[in-house]
Amino acid sequence: MRTIPIRLKLTLWYCLIFGLLMILIISSIYLIQRRSHYNEIDHSLVSISEYILKETYTELGKGVSLSMLQLEFKNLSLNGVVFAIEDITGQSIATGGGKLQKPNITLPEMHGMKEPLHTFADQDQIRYRMYVQTIVNDNEVLGYVLSEISLQNIDRSMRFLFWLIIYFTVFGLCLAALSGWYLARKTFQPIAMITDTAKAIAHTQGFEQRVMHDGARDDLGLLVETFNEMLQSLENAYLSQKRFVENASHELRTPLTTIRGNIDILQFADRMPESEKQEILGDMKREAVRMSRLVAELLTLARADAGQEIAYDIVDIHEVGLEVIREIRNWSSLVEIECQLDPLTMVWGSRDLMKQLLIILIENAIRYSQPGGTVWIRAKNQDSLVRIEVIDTGFGVNEKELPHIFERFFRGELARIQFPAGTGLGLPIARWIVEQHQGQIKVHSEQGKGTQIMVQFASVRGAI
Ligand SMILES: Nc1ncnc2c1ncn2[C@@H]1O[C@H](COP(=O)(O)OP(=O)(O)O)[C@@H](O)[C@H]1O
Ligand SMILES: [Mg+2]
């Protein structure tokens, strides 16, 4: 089902409220105006009629009969009022102001109605207002005083006012609709742009697209800004994932190519001396070992990216450190290892990941040291932290390479020569482990002098 766009909904609501308000206000003004005009007319009709009646009674009081009545109304300002005095037979006794129009009913009938004011129309549909009063003497109806005014002018101006109001209301509503639509469109433009951009990205995966924005820092401006920031981080994540996959395939292809090449050589080298064969097999084994290591590390990072669940427990760095050193001493004899692991250096974390972290740091320190160098491994409680330090006297990292050592697949130039089996994935894994444990990792290194890596976690010693 197609829903009504929010812009249209807003415009319709706006018009509805505006229209109702306009109709309410304007119709009240119109009705008040109309009423006051007609009341004014009635008022002048009544007052003129009353005056004439009073004069009539004065004359009758002098003993003059109605048919002999001689009245002069020179000073009477009629303002369009026409009047007549008639006896009960309808004989006109006095008139003033012009020709009197008569309704279709007789005067006694008219007077019998409760309301002495009557409105009627002639054959041309011109309306008249008439006021009828009886002239009574000694309980005998002698005649009538009729006063009348044509409503033609006032009806015309009221009609004019009515249509004027209708035109203005329609015009105002159209204006309100147009301006409401324009405003709603303008207001919702950023949302429309976000929708378009999101649609385009959904179709093309072009995360480099951004929503254009005039820079106003209102609610929608902030929405656009946040949306663009989100796109930026999506783009970064997308690009780094792409790079990661490309690098991983490249790294895996190299040992596979070497192994395949060596297999080809061995297949067709019947008369190759045994020693040479052993050398080739040794090469293949090294490449296979490197590949297993690479695959294991890639798996760790893939799980990290997928937001792997970690089982937390209390881990004693002292105990894990000793285990790692025991294992490492088996294969490293050229470097002296000095360790100073304080007891009860407890952190909240995963024992396996902590062990992996120590292996990565200590292995780097040993691999990138010269024979005869020293590696110090320390762990101590300091304030409410557990601080781990791995310090070596190796060839260090130069200033150019230092900012990149936590990037996936990055390997220093000297490191490649010294330890060709490396993958460049150790430190990225180390950093991920530290982040998962809300810790911090810092590196200090000087080329030719050595490297110092410090890691710290919150201690849980106080909590147990
Ligand atoms: N202790 C160290 N001494 C000198 N260089 C180091 C040290 N630790 C790390 N590096 C540098 O950081 C790079 C990345 O390290 P890492 O991620 O463990 O990958 P890899 O050891 O496989 O090269 C290394 O190639 C090296 O250049
Ligand atoms: Mg390493």
Side-chain angles (χ1 to χ4, degrees):
M1 197 186 77
R2 245 186 99 76
T3 48
I4 306 173
I6 198 159
R7 280 174 288 178
L8 188 60
K9 262 192 225 169
L10 266 182
T11 313
L12 289 178
W13 273 112
Y14 178 62
C15 283
L16 186 73
I17 294 169
F18 183 77
L20 282 178
L21 266 178
M22 208 155 136
I23 287 169
L24 196 77
I25 294 170
I26 291 181
S27 58
S28 332
I29 293 175
Y30 172 76
L31 289 176
I32 292 169
Q33 192 76 359
R34 189 187 150 95
R35 202 196 178 101
S36 87
H37 273 83
Y38 285 107
N39 279 351
E40 217 171 282
I41 280 186
D42 284 354
H43 183 76
S44 62
L45 266 184
V46 170
S47 62
I48 287 171
S49 188
E50 295 277 335
Y51 177 78
I52 294 166
L53 192 65
K54 205 179 94 200
E55 292 292 300
T56 308
Y57 278 135
T58 315
E59 286 303 303
L60 288 177
K62 289 178 188 165
V64 182
S65 74
L66 187 69
S67 53
M68 302 307 284
L69 216 59
Q70 293 272 314
L71 290 172
E72 295 243 345
F73 297 108
K74 275 190 184 142
N75 297 332
L76 190 61
S77 128
L78 287 171
N79 282 335
V81 174
V82 179
F83 72 89
I85 301 171
E86 290 182 1
D87 63 13
I88 43 168
T89 62
Q91 187 69 40
S92 173
I93 291 155
T95 56
K99 192 174 160 354
L100 193 87
Q101 297 291 325
K102 288 278 187 65
N104 284 336
I105 51 173
T106 61
L107 288 179
E109 267 173 358
M110 198 186 255
H111 188 68
M113 296 178 192
K114 276 209 175 97
E115 177 61 62
L117 283 158
H118 307 275
T119 309
F120 62 92
D122 67 3
Q123 65 272 28
D124 298 329
Q125 295 309 314
I126 296 172
R127 297 197 317 147
Y128 294 91
R129 187 83 166 147
M130 183 177 255
Y131 187 53
V132 184
Q133 279 182 304
T134 41
I135 306 166
V136 183
N137 204 3
D138 293 338
N139 285 332
E140 189 194 347
V141 177
L142 300 178
Y144 302 95
V145 174
L146 310 167
S147 49
E148 179 190 86
I149 193 163
S150 159
L151 297 179
Q152 190 178 17
N153 283 345
I154 186 159
D155 276 354
R156 196 188 290 142
S157 64
M158 278 298 139
R159 246 193 323 273
F160 178 73
L161 186 65
F162 176 78
W163 284 111
L164 199 70
I165 283 172
I166 296 284
Y167 287 137
F168 268 103
T169 309
V170 172
F171 179 71
L173 271 180
C174 290
L175 204 69
L178 281 176
S179 58
W181 176 251
Y182 173 77
L183 275 179
R185 242 180 90 95
K186 205 170 149 55
T187 312
F188 284 93
Q189 201 181 24
I191 292 185
M193 273 154 60
I194 288 179
T195 313
D196 289 347
T197 313
K199 262 190 206 154
I201 291 174
H203 285 128
T204 60
Q205 294 203 336
F207 290 109
E208 73 286 345
Q209 303 191 49
R210 295 290 176 271
V211 180
M212 298 297 280
H213 178 44
D214 60 7
R217 287 192 62 81
D218 51 12
D219 301 12
L220 287 173
L222 279 179
L223 175 69
V224 171
E225 233 170 73
T226 315
F227 185 75
N228 280 341
E229 278 169 22
M230 185 193 77
L231 283 182
Q232 182 66 55
S233 74
L234 272 179
E235 187 188 4
N236 290 348
Y238 177 70
L239 287 180
S240 81
Q241 201 62 25
K242 210 168 137 210
R243 245 190 334 261
F244 179 54
V245 172
E246 279 165 8
N247 286 336
S249 337
H250 176 77
E251 290 291 324
L252 284 171
R253 196 155 8 135
T254 319
L256 274 176
T257 315
T258 316
I259 291 172
R260 274 179 55 183
N262 286 345
I263 288 173
D264 285 346
I265 295 173
L266 286 178
Q267 211 173 10
F268 302 106
D270 294 341
R271 274 175 268 131
M272 186 185 277
E274 194 54 31
S275 62
E276 219 169 294
K277 270 189 192 166
Q278 285 306 319
E279 205 177 302
I280 290 175
L281 281 173
D283 262 3
M284 285 167 70
K285 190 178 171 189
R286 258 197 307 283
E287 288 299 337
V289 167
R290 186 174 121 78
M291 229 167 70
S292 323
R293 185 189 160 117
L294 191 67
V295 169
E297 287 174 344
L298 282 175
L299 207 62
T300 308
L301 281 173
R303 285 201 188 116
D305 290 344
Q308 179 198 11
E309 281 275 319
I310 296 167
Y312 287 91
D313 203 348
I314 293 172
V315 184
D316 187 358
I317 297 292
H318 167 82
E319 180 255 328
V320 179
L322 288 179
E323 185 180 314
V324 172
I325 290 161
R326 245 191 336 268
E327 284 173 19
I328 279 180
R329 277 217 170 102
N330 290 337
W331 54 262
S332 113
S333 52
L334 300 172
V335 178
E336 191 171 334
I337 297 175
E338 296 227 354
C339 68
Q340 188 189 333
L341 301 169
D342 286 0
L344 294 175
T345 35
M346 312 290 226
V347 298
W348 183 246
S350 148
R351 191 182 185 282
D352 288 349
L353 292 180
M354 283 295 164
K355 185 174 172 186
Q356 200 175 353
L357 170 71
L358 290 180
I359 291 175
I360 291 168
L361 301 182
I362 298 170
E363 194 189 336
N364 276 352
I366 294 170
R367 297 273 188 215
Y368 307 129
S369 285
Q370 325 286 1
T374 311
V375 171
W376 286 273
I377 301 159
R378 296 186 191 133
K380 57 185 171 204
N381 283 303
Q382 206 175 55
D383 303 326
S384 53
L385 298 170
V386 169
R387 286 171 70 97
I388 304 165
E389 285 180 339
V390 180
I391 302 165
D392 66 64
T393 50
F395 52 73
V397 191
N398 66 32
E399 271 174 28
K400 222 172 77 214
E401 290 176 346
L402 198 59
H404 301 288
I405 60 173
F406 286 101
E407 287 170 14
R408 294 178 180 187
F409 296 107
F410 177 83
R411 303 208 64 211
E413 228 173 279
L414 285 174
R416 282 172 194 275
I417 300 165
Q418 174 109 346
F419 178 50
T423 57
L425 293 177
L427 287 184
I429 293 175
R431 185 169 67 176
W432 172 72
I433 294 172
V434 172
E435 278 168 2
Q436 291 307 298
H437 293 80
Q438 280 81 46
Q440 280 192 335
I441 184 162
K442 284 184 194 143
V443 183
H444 181 77
S445 187
E446 250 181 88
Q447 195 167 24
K449 289 201 173 144
T451 304
Q452 187 180 2
I453 298 203
M454 287 149 293
V455 183
Q456 63 185 37
F457 299 107
S459 160
V460 289
R461 206 162 59 130
I464 51 173

